[in-house]
Structures are given as structure tokens and as C-alpha cells.
Amino acid sequence: MIKPFARIIAIISVCFSLSITANQFEKDWHTYSNYQDVVSTHIVLNLDVDFNTKQLKGSIEHHLKYNRKGVQNLVLDTRDLDIHRVETFRCGVWSDTTFKLSERDDVKGSKLTIVLPRMSKRVKVHYNSRPEASGLQWLSPIQTAGKKLPFMFSQSQAIHARSWMPIQDTPAMRVSYEANIHTAKNLRPIMSAKNDPKWNENGDYHFEMPQPIPTYLIAIAAGNIHYKKMSKQTAIYSEPELLDAAAAEFIDTQAMIDATEKMYGKYRWTDYDLLILPPSFPFGGMENPRLSFITPTVIAGDKSLVSLIAHELAHSWSGNLVTNATWRDLWLNEGFTSYVENRIMEEVFGKDRAIMEQALAYQGLKEELVDLPKADTILHIVIEGRDPDDAFSGVPYTKGQLFLMFLEERFGRKDFDSFLRQYFDDHAFGSIDTKSFTRYLKKNLIDRHTGKVSMAEVKEWINEPMLPASSPKPTSDVFTKVKSHMDSWFTNDTTLSNIPTKDWTVHEWLFFINNLPKDISLDRLNKLDSQFSLTQSTNNEIAHAWLLLNIKRNNPVINKRLADYMISIGRRKLIVPLYKALLETESKRAFTQNIYNKARPGYHPLAQGTIDALFAKK
Ligand code: BES
Ligand code: ZN
């Protein structure tokens, strides 16, 4: 028997802790869900992957935890879903309940309001996604490496999970999940969960993700997906045609895990596998837990682009373990990850390479800052009312990274490393917003080593536009040499064949191309091309930089290669700048439209949306 007083204390403390968890952070503007009242803590998916109709069909079950009494509705996020029936579970039986699907908002989708009879603990929604789901891409066989079987994959970040599951779609909350997925027998599904590499004869697969994750990390793919182990914790999943090349390219993934563990503590997700997607994947990579989704465009044959893997792996700490509470706080995910990525690259590939990558990113950011609206150059960006995809830029990545480099410089690596490691531990499996981060930073770093960094400096980094004067300005000695060769060529003091390019890395080439004068003559461009065959470069980053420069200089020589490139690649970062540059010149519009007509059907809905908007603007 509990004494009355103890009971009151217990009740008060329960209520208090509940109100703390519910109201700790700024409300996430991008969700309709009432996650502050009632939280979905575990999800059970039962889905059929139907390639004929391009739909996921089945049900989702939510296990609920209440933060207050008297909650009468469960509000979920959806976009373009057909909702057939909703059931609630009470006293051992499932029974139908009423629901309302509100009108569609272009950014947030449609709010699904479900009536909860007396605090039911479980809710099951029967639904299907539609072929145009923004978070899924359904590929025909011709768009795959093998050309014989179809493929589908999800891309849920930032707010696209709601286009394939009715959920509380906010990074402020976490769910564990399990899934029963059925697909055609000659295909296999795979998820951001524990995966069994074995194929099942009957097309039925079961997945479990025991660790709680934010909904944008729930991921699914299905296709002719095979498996190749690389090391104790790492493996490749991909179409069989790419398995060997991918395993050779990404063989250092285990070394990356080991290096990160040494710096920031244990890898908490057991295995780390890579799923290599078809080339229409709109991103370089996506950090789906246990199974990063990766573009095949980084398989260069010389490991030159593997910083992408370091990046997605780094998210296993910054992002997946400690998550931005709202999409305003994206820099806490991407800035920290870009910083950790570079530290991993330094550990595994050495300081020279890490600094070259910093310098390239810094140059890229400076160029981007010139064109961005001032308000979008602030780390703690205001995106209320906007689609997070439209506010996407290098700011959360590189400005965020530079901020952490600034702190590292001022406090010294040793103290900064232990701060960061502690930060990951203290917030493991939780979310954090910019305000709470600032408080944590003050208490655990700034105030402990007084006189090194002022809060005014911190605020300038976080709340002011552009880059503070105190920003690190990474430069590379290797690049300085490249620059001096380039200068000698422009002053006619050397010829191209005398420049020692034989041992140049991809990074040196990228620096070289990016730093050619903006008004370079066609004659010089063509000389470079005949000496170094840049138009035909098989490195997708080099080809991108070269094609972009030639578009800006109106050099028609590249047109054939340009068309092939834009039709074969769907990664937004590599194609959007090319479309933008092409559309700057009215006379190229028909040419560009012609390429886009051919390319568009192969692009992901997100890439289509971005490029459609570019055409509509002009
Ligand atoms: N999580 C991002 C991709 C993302 C961010 C999707 C925001 C949707 C909204 C991923 O980790 C990423 O940053 N990818 C980059 C990698 C690069 C910076 C190394 C990419 O795709 O280019
Ligand atoms: Zn990232």
C-alpha cells in the first residue's frame, strides 16, 4: 500500500516529467500531428509492394503513449494516401472507428484525424499509397542496372514518409518498428532495420528495428537486391551487376567505423550496410539507420568520392543518435555530420585529403552565399510555411561545419572532442533544437573554459546571415601548387603538357576546374579538353564541374555529352546546377527542354519538382 503523500509525489513527478518531455522543444511546424498529447512509440507495418499498380498496400499499427488525460483524437500526417478503414484496439478486440481526412496542403499534406474511444492503446489504419507518392520512386526495368526487373525505393527525409505511411511525421519523436513486407518472388524488399541477407522463396519478409528512430529514417526498397559482405560489420546490398565494384570502392567502411568509434564512442546500430541504388536516386546518400542508401554515381573506381560514405556513417552519431527536433535545426544534423565526416576522412585518408575537402567545400559555400537570399544564410533558418526541400542549401552543411571547426580551433581538439563525445552520449536516442543546443554548449564548453569564445560569437554564428569574420578559411598547400601552375599557363609561361597532372587527385582536378577564370576563352577551354579529355571524364564530379563551366561559357562542344549526362543521372546536386545555368540563357531553352523531356520520366519525383520549378520561374 503506497502512503497518500508518496502517491501525490509520484503523481506530481509523473505529470511533471510528462510535461517536460512534451514541451521541451519548439513545436515542429511541419507536422499536423498532436504528438505533444499522444505519442506513437512503436509501429507495425503490413505492406504489399505492388509493382503493377505502383502502390504500397496494407496497414500500419501505432502503439500509443498518452502525455495527458482526456485525449480524444489521434492526428496523423498523410500526403496523397487513400485511407480505407481505421480500427482501434480496446479490451482485447479491434473495432472500427471514425476518421476524417482534411484537405491537402501543398507543404504539409492532409491531416488525418482519428477518433480515439477512451484512450485506446493501439490504432490500425488500412491504406494504400498512390503511384505519385513524393517519397517513393517506382523504376521500370530499363532504369536499373540489370534492365530486367523493376525497382522501388523510399526517400523519406524531410517530410515524405507521410506519402507512404500515415504517421506522426516529426523528428521530435521516435518510434521503434517492425514490418511484414510481401513482394513478388523474384524481387526482395529491404529496410532500415535488421536485415537477413537470405532471399525467401515465398516473397514474405519480416523486419525489426528495435532502436527508436525518427520517422524520416524509416526506409524501404525492393528490387533484384543481392548481398556481398565486406567486413565484420559492413556489407553491400545492390543489383548483382554493381556488387563487386561497390565492395571494392567502399572496402574502407569498416576502418571508418573504427575511427569514428575511437573519437565519438560506440557505434550503436550493430551493422552498417550500404544499399547501392539505381542512378535516379535524387541524393548522394541517405543515412537510413543500419543501411545507408547510396547513389551509384560515387563508384569512381579510385575511392575518390568515398567521403560520401564517411558522411552517411557519421550520421549514425549526428542525426540518427541525436536528431534535429525540427527542420529549422537541420544544421545540427548536417553541420555536425559534415564536421565528423571530415574528421573521419582525416583519420582514414590523411590530413592532406581532409584539408582539400574542407577547402573545396568552403569555396563552394562562398559562391553559394552570393546567390542565396540573406535569410537563408542563417544556420537557425526560419522555414515556417515553407517546404524544407525549398530551403535546402550548403548553409546547414558547410557553415555548420565551419562553426564546429571554429570551436575546435578555439578550444583545442582535445577539449572539443570530449565535449562532442559527451554531447552524443547525453542526447543519445533523443532530439535537440537549436536553443537547447546553445544552452548545452554554454554550460559544457564555453563556461568551462572561460575567455576562449563569447556567447556573442556563438549567437553570431547561429543567428546572423553569411559567414562571421572569425570563420576558419581552409586553404590547402596542394591547391596552392595547382593554382600556380594554372597561373603560369595563363601568362603563357608554361604549356599544358608541362603541368605535372599525372599524379593529380580528383580533388586537384576539381580545384583546377572550379578556379579557372569565369571568362576563360573557348580557345583555352578546348585546349584543356584536347589535352585532358575532361568532357569524357568518367568521374561524375569532374564531369559536372567541367560541363557547368562550359555551359556558362556557351561552349557547344559539350552538348552531346551534356545530354547523355543529364539523362543518365538523377542526383539533384549533379544536375540541378546544370539546368539552372542552361536556363540563364533564353536561346538555350529549347535545347534544355528537349533534354528534360527525355530525362524527366527517369527522375525521382523530388528532382522533377525542383526542375519543373526552374522551368516555371523563367
Ligand atoms: N540526410 C542527407 C540528405 C537529405 C538532407 C535529404 C535533407 C533530405 C533533406 C544526406 O546525409 C546528405 O547530406 N547527403 C549529401 C551527401 C554529401 C553532403 C556528402 C548528398 O546527398 O549530396
Ligand atoms: Zn547528411
Side-chain angles (χ1 to χ4, degrees):
M1 188 42 202
I2 305 176
K3 292 202 179 103
F5 178 70
R7 235 166 78 196
I8 289 167
I9 293 294
I11 289 167
I12 289 174
S13 67
V14 164
C15 295
F16 184 68
S17 76
L18 288 178
S19 68
I20 292 277
T21 47
N23 298 316
Q24 202 176 4
F25 305 122
E26 177 181 353
K27 166 90 174 64
D28 175 10
W29 187 87
H30 290 95
T31 181
Y32 281 120
S33 71
N34 55 342
Y35 67 94
Q36 290 171 317
D37 294 337
V38 50
V39 193
S40 167
T41 58
H42 183 74
I43 280 174
V44 185
L45 285 162
N46 281 293
L47 291 174
D48 188 17
V49 183
D50 188 340
F51 279 93
N52 294 323
T53 60
K54 300 186 176 173
Q55 289 174 320
L56 296 178
K57 295 175 172 164
S59 67
I60 184 169
E61 191 179 317
H62 290 280
H63 295 194
L64 303 177
K65 185 176 141 264
Y66 289 83
N67 282 336
R68 64 171 181 83
K69 284 226 166 94
V71 178
Q72 290 176 350
N73 295 317
L74 172 68
V75 183
L76 299 177
D77 295 298
T78 77
R79 180 188 294 131
D80 303 327
L81 296 181
D82 296 319
I83 309 293
H84 305 300
R85 194 156 68 90
V86 183
E87 296 175 279
T88 58
F89 189 72
R90 241 168 22 105
C91 312
V93 284
W94 286 101
S95 41
D96 282 5
T97 185
T98 50
F99 63 91
K100 178 172 177 256
L101 194 59
S102 303
E103 217 168 280
R104 184 186 194 277
D105 174 86
D106 272 349
V107 176
K108 295 206 253 189
S110 316
K111 163 160 115 172
L112 175 63
T113 309
I114 295 166
V115 173
L116 289 174
R118 267 204 287 126
M119 309 255 281
S120 325
K121 286 276 172 43
R122 292 185 193 187
V123 167
K124 193 189 281 183
V125 185
H126 300 264
Y127 74 101
N128 64 260
S129 67
R130 298 202 191 140
E132 70 269 22
S134 62
L136 300 176
Q137 191 180 13
W138 298 86
L139 299 173
S140 56
I142 193 73
Q143 293 172 278
T144 67
K147 315 271 181 230
K148 293 208 176 72
L149 293 164
F151 202 104
M152 69 80 62
F153 62 86
S154 67
Q155 168 53 45
S156 296
Q157 195 183 10
I159 54 170
H160 300 285
R162 64 190 66 177
S163 75
W164 63 279
M165 301 173 285
I167 45 166
Q168 297 187 313
D169 198 8
T170 171
M173 293 292 147
R174 301 172 101 79
V175 291
S176 48
Y177 77 84
E178 61 196 284
N180 301 300
I181 307 291
H182 179 78
T183 187
K185 292 185 185 66
N186 56 352
L187 302 170
R188 69 154 293 162
I190 184 166
M191 293 192 83
S192 56
K194 266 191 219 162
N195 280 293
D196 180 350
K198 278 201 305 292
W199 282 56
N200 286 344
E201 291 302 302
N202 52 12
D204 289 321
Y205 292 80
H206 180 73
F207 300 93
E208 277 174 29
M209 175 43 122
Q211 288 104 328
I213 56 170
T215 47
Y216 76 88
L217 294 176
I218 304 179
I220 185 168
N224 186 23
I225 298 171
H226 290 251
Y227 171 86
K228 182 165 179 149
K229 199 166 173 64
M230 292 193 290
S231 70
K232 66 177 191 292
Q233 281 172 293
T234 71
I236 302 285
Y237 284 94
S238 79
E239 289 186 76
E241 292 79 2
L242 289 175
L243 267 185
D244 290 338
E249 195 82 16
F250 305 135
I251 195 68
D252 299 310
T253 308
Q254 183 69 51
M256 291 181 176
I257 300 176
D258 298 344
T260 324
E261 285 192 323
K262 249 196 253 147
M263 295 187 284
Y264 305 116
K266 203 170 158 34
Y267 177 79
R268 308 205 199 198
W269 310 88
T270 320
D271 290 330
Y272 181 67
D273 298 333
L274 305 173
L275 172 65
I276 314 301
L277 292 164
S280 69
F281 183 53
F283 290 99
M286 178 63 215
E287 65 271 26
N288 299 317
R290 288 171 184 243
L291 181 70
S292 285
F293 284 19
I294 302 293
T295 172
T297 63
V298 292
I299 306 178
D302 58 4
K303 302 182 181 177
S304 56
L305 306 177
V306 297
S307 61
L308 176 89
I309 307 299
H311 180 96
E312 302 316 332
L313 170 68
H315 273 303
S316 307
W317 286 261
S318 43
N320 300 3
L321 195 59
V322 184
T323 307
N324 52 211
T326 79
W327 297 114
R328 290 191 68 187
D329 310 305
L330 181 68
W331 75 277
L332 292 174
N333 273 16
E334 297 300 344
F336 280 56
T337 294
S338 300
Y339 173 82
V340 172
E341 163 202 330
N342 196 255
R343 292 293 302 278
I344 299 173
M345 291 306 287
E346 180 182 328
E347 288 300 309
V348 180
F349 293 94
K351 210 163 179 102
D352 273 354
R353 176 157 177 184
I355 291 179
M356 285 195 279
E357 292 183 354
Q358 288 171 11
L360 287 172
Y362 175 61
Q363 268 206 337
L365 177 67
K366 276 199 306 186
E367 281 176 22
E368 209 181 340
L369 287 176
V370 178
D371 295 329
L372 280 174
K374 271 250 153 39
D376 287 2
T377 70
I378 295 172
L379 283 181
H380 195 208
I381 191 175
V382 178
I383 47 166
E384 223 179 84
R386 286 171 81 184
D387 187 332
D389 289 343
D390 296 343
F392 188 81
S393 80
V395 170
Y397 288 79
T398 308
K399 184 175 176 182
Q401 176 187 0
L402 288 164
F403 176 34
L404 298 203
M405 286 168 58
F406 159 82
L407 293 173
E408 183 200 316
E409 241 171 62
R410 290 284 186 89
F411 290 99
R413 188 168 269 195
K414 190 169 154 286
D415 286 337
F416 187 62
D417 279 1
S418 41
F419 164 78
L420 207 50
R421 190 180 179 130
Q422 195 63 46
Y423 166 76
F424 292 137
D425 276 347
D426 287 347
H427 301 88
F429 297 105
S431 300
I432 183 159
D433 66 1
T434 300
K435 265 201 195 116
S436 327
F437 169 74
T438 310
R439 239 179 286 129
Y440 184 89
L441 177 72
K442 179 172 186 315
K443 180 160 173 248
N444 295 285
L445 196 63
I446 313 272
D447 290 353
R448 283 204 193 151
H449 308 272
T450 47
K452 298 210 164 155
V453 170
S454 70
M455 282 313 284
E457 286 175 302
V458 171
K459 294 215 162 95
E460 185 186 5
W461 271 102
I462 293 178
N463 299 318
E464 296 296 325
M466 308 301 275
L467 277 177
S470 63
S471 171
K473 299 168 185 61
T475 52
S476 148
D477 296 342
V478 183
F479 288 168
T480 310
K481 282 193 204 125
V482 173
K483 179 82 170 69
S484 79
H485 289 301
M486 183 194 299
D487 291 345
S488 308
W489 181 53
F490 277 96
T491 53
N492 296 321
D493 291 315
T494 191
T495 59
L496 286 181
S497 52
N498 280 333
I499 302 181
T501 55
K502 199 167 80 39
D503 297 324
W504 276 9
T505 59
V506 167
H507 301 77
E508 285 158 284
W509 277 113
L510 287 174
F511 177 84
F512 181 82
I513 297 167
N514 290 342
N515 286 278
L516 288 166
K518 300 279 170 265
D519 60 353
I520 183 172
S521 67
L522 289 199
D523 178 49
R524 283 205 184 255
L525 278 177
N526 293 335
K527 280 202 174 101
L528 282 170
D529 209 12
S530 42
Q531 185 74 26
F532 304 122
S533 307
L534 293 167
T535 304
Q536 298 312 326
S537 174
T538 51
N539 185 289
N540 288 309
E541 291 280 354
I542 292 181
H544 169 82
W546 178 251
L547 292 172
L548 188 59
L549 176 65
N550 280 272
I551 294 170
K552 289 184 176 160
R553 296 305 302 133
N554 298 314
N555 188 359
V557 172
I558 51 135
N559 284 359
K560 165 88 178 61
R561 166 75 169 125
L562 180 65
D564 292 346
Y565 185 90
M566 310 236 285
I567 291 167
S568 63
I569 291 177
R571 182 177 171 193
R572 278 205 305 196
K573 180 187 153 209
L574 295 181
I575 53 171
V576 171
L578 302 180
Y579 280 104
K580 256 192 202 151
L582 283 165
L583 289 173
E584 289 288 311
T585 315
E586 188 50 41
S587 60
K588 291 185 191 162
R589 201 182 168 88
F591 168 77
T592 313
Q593 184 75 60
N594 193 22
I595 294 182
Y596 189 42
N597 289 347
K598 294 197 188 103
R600 192 179 186 282
Y603 290 164
H604 187 281
L606 292 177
Q608 291 177 346
T610 310
I611 300 164
D612 287 352
L614 290 180
F615 275 94
K617 211 159 70 186
K618 293 278 161 180

